[in-house]
Amino acid sequence: QVQLVQSGAEVRKPGASVKVSCKASGYTFTGYFMHWVRQAPGQGLEWMGWINPNSGGTNYAQKFQGRVTMTRDTSISTAYVELSRLRSEDTAVYYCARDWSGDYGEMRDWGQGTVVTVSS
Amino acid sequence: QSALTQPRSLSGSPGQSVTISCTGTSSDIGGYYYVSWYQQHPGIAPKLIIFDVTKRPSGVPDRFSGSKSGNTASLTISGLQAEDEADYYCCSYAGSYTLVFGGGTKLTVL
């Protein structure tokens, strides 16, 4: 069965960077776009961007341009999101999600989420 | 990209029908047939319940239905059940290979 298993919780100080991983299994990793979506405490879902694991191509939400980098390692079927210059507002649960439709938002499979806390 | 607009909360009694609206613009909902809806229970990842405006993944009850008119998409839940109490989010393709979510609606089953 399809599984997306994310890395564990992280705590960072303001100004630092964090890198979260998402290991995929149960399907052909390079066959489906992977989105990253975050959710601040008590808030709604926020789309951050996607990576095409086949080509490595990416597209980021304008809000995160210059601060976010999405990469992948096809040899271990793992996608990554790195966010730099962290601030307290980046405290959130970060999810990876597999899109069945390319990049049109048919996110059928989700990781369990990774809590990132930014605090001095 | 601005978030799509959803009512912050709605409520209904068991057996009733409720409709959650999601309003965007001609650059997102109005311009494409790629609206999806997600259900999220507290503390767990969202679950896809509608995609491409009206389609349901296998396993999602047909009590859940989606529609779109102009710049507004809607999710209707008929025959409301206690387990439907959750947060609901709409999501639309917004052009230039981007997506945008709604602010979310908290549904309470009375």
Side-chain angles (χ1 to χ4, degrees):
Chain A
Q1 74 284 18
V2 171
Q3 279 195 299
L4 299 175
V5 179
Q6 298 184 222
S7 48
E10 304 273 12
V11 179
R12 294 287 185 274
K13 293 190 183 304
S17 297
V18 70
K19 190 171 185 177
V20 175
S21 68
C22 171
K23 182 170 177 58
S25 62
Y27 72 97
T28 302
F29 176 66
T30 52
Y32 299 83
F33 282 41
M34 191 76 80
H35 296 271
W36 287 92
V37 175
R38 77 176 188 179
Q39 186 170 35
Q43 302 300 310
L45 302 175
E46 183 173 32
W47 180 76
M48 298 179 68
W50 54 253
I51 182 167
N52 177 348
N54 187 43
S55 65
T58 57
N59 198 51
Y60 305 138
Q62 192 171 1
K63 173 178 178 175
F64 300 101
Q65 295 271 2
R67 274 207 313 141
V68 70
T69 305
M70 295 178 188
T71 56
R72 93 293 191 215
D73 184 338
T74 57
S75 68
I76 56 172
S77 299
T78 300
Y80 303 91
V81 63
E82 184 171 18
L83 193 60
S84 62
R85 302 193 301 280
L86 290 168
R87 32 202 190 237
S88 58
E89 309 90 88
D90 294 318
T91 293
V93 178
Y94 289 74
Y95 293 101
C96 59
R98 177 173 76 130
D99 195 325
W100 283 38
S101 67
D103 62 344
Y104 291 126
E106 187 182 331
M107 291 177 269
R108 296 199 186 205
D109 307 295
W110 291 68
Q112 83 276 19
T114 296
V115 176
V116 174
T117 303
V118 182
S119 174
S120 54
Chain B
Q1 303 125 330
S2 299
L4 306 173
T5 301
Q6 299 181 232
R8 293 203 63 156
S9 63
L10 277 178
S11 63
S13 299
Q16 286 187 328
S17 292
V18 295
T19 295
I20 301 172
S21 62
C22 171
T23 301
T25 69
S26 58
S27 296
D28 38 65
I29 291 176
Y32 307 94
Y33 217 72
Y34 298 116
V35 176
S36 51
W37 288 88
Y38 298 87
Q39 177 192 62
Q40 186 180 34
H41 288 105
I44 63 175
K47 173 188 175 183
L48 178 71
I49 55 173
I50 295 288
F51 67 98
D52 292 355
V53 178
T54 62
K55 298 176 182 176
R56 275 188 325 265
S58 60
V60 174
D62 59 6
R63 303 186 294 104
F64 293 89
S65 62
S67 62
K68 185 184 85 144
S69 177
N71 297 338
T72 298
S74 299
L75 171 72
T76 298
I77 309 171
S78 57
L80 206 56
Q81 299 182 4
E83 59 262 35
D84 298 334
E85 183 163 298
D87 294 325
Y88 292 85
Y89 295 92
C90 58
C91 177
S92 175
Y93 182 73
S96 300
Y97 312 108
T98 65
L99 299 174
V100 61
F101 278 99
T105 298
K106 182 177 180 60
L107 176 63
T108 300
V109 179
L110 302 170

